[in-house]
Amino acid sequence: AHSEEGGAGVRSVDLDERSRRWTVTSDPRWLWPGLDVGLLSAAASTIERSVTRILAGKPASIGAADGSDAYAVGIASLLSGTGSLLGHWVEQGKLDVAARLAHTLARHLAHGRGRIGRIGREVAPALQCLIEAGVNPGILKGFHTAHVYFPEPGVRPLADVDVYVEPRHVVRAGRALASAGFGPGSWSADFKTNWYPGGKIPPIRSLEYWHARSPWRIDLHSALQFGTLTRHGIHLEQVMPITDTWDWMGMQLRVAPQPLRFVALAAHLSSELNSSRLIRLVELTLLIRRDTASGEMDWAAATDFLERTGATRYAYPALTLVEQLAPGTVDMALLAKTYKRASRIARIVVGELTPATPILHERVSLAERLMWEPGILGVVRRLLEMLVPPRGDSLKNNLL
């Protein structure tokens, strides 16, 4: 089966409806009609092997010689977040693929380049408004790493630009974003709100690749908390402020110094193991290699920071999977310490993963919801919260 989305004959409302039906049913046939879902696991595994080889400086290949699996490999590269990166490696001669798959990956790369360019053009005025409002914005995670650590920014897909401001500046930052033409989305949390260009969520343009015109947003953070860190009250920025600077488009933007940058990426990856796992592992690998080689990050400082924040166990999944993907990348002493701090449930969950598989998660398992709890009392407390959510919270929000 093969599909070419985003052109004539495919209405965006159809894609939105297919996405909605997937959310309700978890049936992948709504997202990709005609796809043999059974091929996704094999496609993900071959992508993983090729990424490992290229990170080790070796040539690699993906897919059948006749290109018959190009559609499945293309969807697996979407789900793993690696489509544009694979397309870049094909273009650079590092990855050998059949002509049909080369076309698919070239489309991923072209849209990745177009998407990062569009996001850059639309976010720049908003960041300038924040600077002029005196809130001194910080850039977290992907938008920064895309420009600094990857071979080109367009190979790191982005759903959002994560912007940090101090809690006392949140209201002022919101006014600045509104003045730049952004409007708040329908979702917010204690330490994060989302803002969309034009004040509305545009339609989905493709379910097969990161389309250049598909939605993106600004996530406005007032704390460095991700997933499980939020639940357990760990504020990374309270131990190490966001003080480094990054010159982008003539603007001086704050970014996290090391080892805060490393810890934030690792904790975020660990808290969202079911989302674009492979590209996030590549991201962390590239960061570790570059900043360790330059001396900007050292493992003793990273270990000390994790211990002081109480975040050591949250780094366990990320570092374990990075070491599987790119052996020799992670410090063995720190890896052993994260293993010791991790719960038995976390070790079981991570033991069932590889860097790329399983590729398609239909539901978050009970073990994944309990893996961060410290001891039996924490597990029991979490189970009770899931069964009887706090007043004002929905059961769905608690489960997620």
Side-chain angles (χ1 to χ4, degrees), residues 4 28 34 39 100 113 137 153 167 173 189 197 307:
E4 188 83 26
L39 297 177
R100 186 172 168 185
R113 286 168 170 164
E307 291 288 275

Side-chain angles (χ1 to χ4, degrees), residues 8 42 46-47 68 108-109 123 125 147 149 234 299 303 330 355 357 372:
T46 191
I47 290 172
S68 58
H108 279 263
L109 179 57
V123 79
H147 287 83
Y149 294 98
I234 297 176
W299 290 108
T303 301
V330 179
T357 60
W372 303 113

Side-chain angles (χ1 to χ4, degrees), residues 322-390:
V322 162
E323 188 61 20
Q324 287 183 24
L325 181 69
T329 298
V330 179
D331 177 76
M332 288 295 100
L334 176 54
L335 189 59
K337 189 177 289 289
T338 64
Y339 177 87
K340 182 178 180 181
R341 295 281 190 272
S343 70
R344 181 174 178 272
I345 298 175
R347 296 173 192 165
I348 292 172
V349 168
V350 174
E352 295 175 347
L353 301 175
T354 79
T357 60
I359 188 66
L360 187 61
H361 291 260
E362 299 180 4
R363 290 283 184 261
V364 178
S365 70
L366 179 61
E368 289 174 285
R369 295 168 185 155
L370 300 177
M371 64 186 284
W372 303 113
E373 302 308 321
I376 188 63
L377 290 179
V379 169
V380 171
R381 183 165 53 248
R382 179 65 171 141
L383 285 170
L384 290 174
E385 289 176 359
M386 291 164 59
L387 292 171
V388 186

Side-chain angles (χ1 to χ4, degrees), residues 130-158:
L130 289 170
I131 291 171
E132 292 172 358
V135 301
N136 196 13
I139 303 298
L140 309 174
K141 301 185 296 178
F143 190 72
H144 174 235
T145 60
H147 287 83
V148 174
Y149 294 98
F150 283 88
E152 61 170 289
V155 304
R156 203 302 188 184
L158 298 173

Side-chain angles (χ1 to χ4, degrees), residues 81-391:
T82 58
S84 295
L85 181 60
L86 297 176
H88 170 85
W89 282 337
V90 170
E91 193 176 80
Q92 296 293 309
K94 297 179 179 181
L95 182 63
D96 181 45
V97 299
R100 186 172 168 185
L101 180 54
H103 172 77
T104 297
L105 296 177
R107 183 177 60 183
H108 279 263
L109 179 57
H111 277 273
R113 286 168 170 164
R115 182 172 177 80
I116 196 69
R118 170 183 161 233
I119 291 174
R121 290 189 300 272
E122 294 179 355
V123 79
L127 294 175
Q128 187 61 49
C129 284
L130 289 170
I131 291 171
E132 292 172 358
V135 301
N136 196 13
I139 303 298
L140 309 174
K141 301 185 296 178
F143 190 72
H144 174 235
T145 60
H147 287 83
V148 174
Y149 294 98
F150 283 88
E152 61 170 289
V155 304
R156 203 302 188 184
L158 298 173
D160 51 62
V161 176
D162 294 285
V163 178
Y164 170 82
V165 299
E166 274 77 17
R168 68 182 186 278
H169 290 153
V170 169
V171 173
R172 190 189 306 177
R175 291 172 182 157
L177 291 176
S179 72
F182 283 69
S186 60
W187 181 90
S188 66
D190 289 343
F191 304 106
K192 183 170 74 172
T193 56
N194 53 39
W195 294 77
Y196 287 88
K200 60 181 180 180
I201 304 175
I204 297 171
R205 301 289 180 175
S206 176
L207 296 173
E208 296 180 3
Y209 51 91
W210 288 80
H211 197 288
R213 296 173 58 202
S214 281
W216 77 277
R217 66 183 184 270
I218 289 176
D219 279 356
L220 187 66
H221 299 253
S222 59
L224 256 69
Q225 292 193 316
F226 312 112
T228 52
L229 297 186
T230 302
R231 280 185 45 76
H232 296 102
I234 297 176
H235 293 247
L236 298 176
E237 82 287 353
Q238 292 182 355
V239 177
M240 179 175 287
I242 302 170
T243 54
D244 277 11
T245 57
W246 175 41
D247 186 351
W248 180 74
M249 299 286 288
M251 291 179 280
Q252 294 295 310
L253 303 167
R254 286 189 296 163
V255 293
Q258 291 292 17
L260 174 59
R261 193 181 310 166
F262 158 76
V263 171
L265 280 186
H268 183 248
L269 196 166
S270 292
S271 70
E272 296 185 4
L273 289 171
N274 296 340
S275 176
S276 298
R277 181 167 67 249
L278 185 55
I279 194 64
R280 291 177 177 182
L281 290 168
V282 172
E283 177 178 57
L284 192 55
T285 299
L286 296 177
L287 177 143
I288 290 171
R289 288 180 171 181
R290 172 173 168 164
D291 287 359
T292 301
S294 69
E296 189 174 354
M297 187 190 87
D298 70 77
W299 290 108
T303 301
D304 178 67
F305 184 81
L306 284 165
E307 291 288 275
R308 284 190 292 130
T309 57
T312 303
R313 60 197 170 109
Y314 302 109
Y316 168 71
L319 298 191
T320 298
L321 292 169
V322 162
E323 188 61 20
Q324 287 183 24
L325 181 69
T329 298
V330 179
D331 177 76
M332 288 295 100
L334 176 54
L335 189 59
K337 189 177 289 289
T338 64
Y339 177 87
K340 182 178 180 181
R341 295 281 190 272
S343 70
R344 181 174 178 272
I345 298 175
R347 296 173 192 165
I348 292 172
V349 168
V350 174
E352 295 175 347
L353 301 175
T354 79
T357 60
I359 188 66
L360 187 61
H361 291 260
E362 299 180 4
R363 290 283 184 261
V364 178
S365 70
L366 179 61
E368 289 174 285
R369 295 168 185 155
L370 300 177
M371 64 186 284
W372 303 113
E373 302 308 321
I376 188 63
L377 290 179
V379 169
V380 171
R381 183 165 53 248
R382 179 65 171 141
L383 285 170
L384 290 174
E385 289 176 359
M386 291 164 59
L387 292 171
V388 186
R391 181 176 299 176

